[in-house]
Amino acid sequence: MELGWDELADQQMAALETQGPTNVVEAVGRTLARLELDPFDPKLGTRQFTSANYGHVRATTVHSTDWTVLWTLGEGDDWILIIAIGQYSL
């Protein structure tokens, strides 16, 4: 899978990489890599909900942190759109 980035997610990731704790940056990176390999792997613990702006949105918790990656399927079969990365209560 290819990862596409919404503008908000791109800004959040850039801020995390420059200001975030190293362990969180690394954990988010591992989660993104796993999403690239198989976004539907049950071990990711992804949950799905509906958003007015994006339709079906999936939330994948970044293990060992309280961070979450929000994403949705792209228009093709081979990419996903990263919508947001942050600390969310789900």
Side-chain angles (χ1 to χ4, degrees), residues 8 16 20 26 43 51 59 62:
L8 174 63
L16 180 61
E26 290 172 355
K43 292 179 184 175
S51 160
V62 177

Side-chain angles (χ1 to χ4, degrees), residues 30-83:
R30 284 191 303 272
T31 299
L32 292 170
R34 290 182 65 196
L35 285 171
E36 273 187 297
L37 289 175
D38 182 3
F40 302 107
D41 182 347
K43 292 179 184 175
L44 287 169
T46 299
R47 292 187 264 168
Q48 182 174 309
F49 59 94
T50 304
S51 160
N53 292 337
Y54 294 98
H56 295 289
V57 174
R58 289 154 174 93
T60 303
T61 301
V62 177
H63 294 288
S64 75
T65 73
D66 59 350
W67 287 69
T68 301
V69 176
L70 300 177
W71 59 277
T72 189
L73 293 175
E75 294 182 14
D77 291 338
D78 59 345
W79 71 282
I80 60 176
L81 177 66
I82 305 300
I83 299 169

